[in-house]
Amino acid sequence: MKYNRLGNHGIKLSALSLGSWLTFGKQITDDVAEKLMRRAYEAGINFFDNAEGYAGGDSERVMGHILKKTGWDRTTYIVSSKVFFGGELPNQYGLSRKHIFDACDGALKRLQVDYLDLYFCHRPDPETPISETVWAMNHLIAQGKVMYWGTSEWSAEEIMEAHQFAEKYRLIGPAMEQPQYNLLHRKRFEEEYAPLYKEYGMGTTIWSPLASGILSGKYNAGDFSDKTRMDMVSWLKDKNLSEEMLAPARQFADIAQEAGIRPAQLALAWCLKNENVSTVILGASKLEQLEENLKALEVVDQLDESLMKKLSTLGIS
């Protein structure tokens, strides 16, 4: 396993990590979840991603039970949570100081840990001043409940505002962003966020490296029967199961075949080639999926200049 610094920060994350969205506590059994985590850890993965909104908190409960059961040394793994989508009642969602504190305490209990290594603001909150959010995160850090805080799917402008406020009051700004990034969804990561990497040394923990399975090739033949993730999240289905996405995915499959690399491994390796990617979050519901995706590390060196040039023409957004 390769390990990368989180931007210019000292903490090191495995190049590949394991996420729990739409799987733990929902799509797979707890037994399968445990097998996935144990295999990932065995392979050198040290980062496990989660959020308060995943499966209504059940994802964190399942992961917490597994972490407790394994007895792994707490210094050997990194665990995250995200705050925003906590519930429907007032103060159960968003980024107010109250909800951030309540959500953090809830995540610690469900994950059965004393602190969160990474804590993300899952979405920007137009109803809460960014200053309030920055102060709240800094207080959690001061209390030892959070090591590093960051954002997820924030605009570069919003992230810069958080940094500028933090600098003004000598606080700690966001250390990382968790954006969607894959061959078909590139513009925000590569263009909008570019100043953030250089000016603030931000790290990234990217999600959807396979574009919700589109880049694995399983939908190229037009068979949408195996689309459990798509069915669970309507906006994923609407966005991805379209000719606009499937056409370049088919082109990608042809390039992968020509290169002699399995599509999923090539898509993951392409993400790993970007120096601004700290870790690529894998989503797996079967052990075989995880095993195949882990092999992406073995093909990174095969992505030479010629192959990268071919792949660079596929991005659409």
Side-chain angles (χ1 to χ4, degrees):
M1 179 60 65
K2 177 186 177 185
Y3 298 90
N4 302 318
R5 289 173 63 197
L6 183 64
N8 67 359
H9 303 281
I11 190 171
K12 293 182 179 179
L13 279 62
S14 49
L16 296 175
S17 45
L18 184 65
S20 61
W21 184 44
L22 299 182
T23 52
F24 287 30
K26 194 160 189 172
Q27 184 182 349
I28 61 177
T29 64
D30 295 1
D31 181 60
V32 171
E34 181 177 343
K35 289 178 180 178
L36 288 170
M37 283 189 65
R38 286 184 180 275
R39 177 63 187 110
Y41 186 81
E42 179 184 271
I45 284 178
N46 72 351
F47 172 41
F48 300 95
D49 183 67
N50 221 312
E52 67 166 343
Y54 293 172
D58 285 342
S59 179
E60 290 181 329
R61 276 186 280 271
V62 170
M63 184 174 285
H65 176 73
I66 295 170
L67 290 173
K68 185 81 169 180
K69 186 176 180 180
T70 62
W72 295 333
D73 186 327
R74 183 65 181 88
T75 65
T76 65
Y77 66 87
I78 295 165
V79 66
S80 72
S81 185
K82 304 182 195 73
V83 53
F84 192 98
F85 303 105
E88 298 181 358
L89 296 177
N91 302 315
Q92 288 186 331
Y93 59 88
L95 299 177
S96 68
R97 177 183 175 87
K98 174 174 172 54
H99 182 57
I100 286 175
F101 274 53
D102 288 344
C104 182
D105 287 343
L108 293 175
K109 290 177 182 177
R110 291 188 293 271
L111 289 166
Q112 301 188 54
V113 292
D114 294 325
Y115 65 91
L116 300 171
D117 299 276
L118 309 180
Y119 198 30
F120 296 86
C121 296
H122 209 163
R123 290 294 187 275
D125 182 0
E127 296 184 343
T128 301
I130 286 178
S131 58
E132 180 177 339
T133 299
V134 174
W135 271 115
M137 286 296 185
N138 274 259
H139 286 144
L140 289 178
I141 290 174
Q143 293 172 7
K145 294 180 178 180
V146 170
M147 298 294 109
Y148 300 85
W149 79 276
T151 58
S152 181
E153 294 297 333
W154 281 34
S155 69
E157 182 179 2
E158 290 163 334
I159 295 172
M160 286 180 182
E161 183 179 342
H163 273 290
Q164 289 164 1
F165 180 83
E167 288 177 349
K168 181 178 179 179
Y169 293 96
R170 298 185 180 181
L171 301 175
I172 298 173
M176 66 281 176
E177 157 67 24
Q178 184 168 121
Q180 178 180 185
Y181 183 53
N182 54 61
L183 262 165
L184 306 181
H185 189 90
R186 303 167 52 181
K187 189 172 183 179
R188 167 171 272 190
F189 187 95
E190 295 180 358
E191 298 179 20
E192 182 182 338
Y193 288 161
L196 302 175
Y197 312 133
K198 183 177 181 180
E199 186 170 353
Y200 301 111
M202 289 190 69
T204 60
T205 62
I206 69 163
W207 64 277
S208 195
L210 299 181
S212 301
I214 295 294
L215 291 174
S216 70
K218 69 182 190 177
Y219 301 117
N220 288 351
D223 181 7
F224 303 148
S225 59
D226 181 20
K227 56 181 189 302
T228 49
R229 287 195 175 208
M230 300 287 194
D231 283 338
M232 285 191 284
V233 184
S234 60
W235 62 265
L236 277 180
K237 180 178 179 181
D238 295 339
K239 177 179 175 62
N240 292 313
L241 293 186
S242 65
E243 189 59 27
E244 182 185 19
M245 292 288 283
L246 291 172
R250 295 188 190 102
Q251 295 176 40
F252 170 73
D254 292 338
I255 294 174
Q257 183 176 21
E258 182 182 336
I261 303 173
R262 294 181 69 86
Q265 293 171 8
L266 180 58
L268 293 170
W270 178 86
C271 293
L272 290 167
K273 289 281 284 188
N274 191 314
E275 64 179 3
N276 293 314
V277 171
S278 305
T279 186
V280 175
I281 300 174
L282 304 177
S285 58
K286 301 175 182 177
L287 200 56
E288 310 88 80
Q289 283 180 307
L290 179 60
E291 293 287 2
E292 177 177 342
N293 292 344
L294 286 170
K295 294 177 182 177
L297 289 166
E298 301 172 10
V299 304
V300 173
D301 290 340
Q302 296 181 43
L303 276 67
D304 56 21
E305 185 177 349
S306 175
L307 181 52
M308 289 295 286
K309 187 174 181 180
K310 290 180 182 179
L311 294 173
S312 68
T313 64
L314 298 177
I316 62 174
S317 64

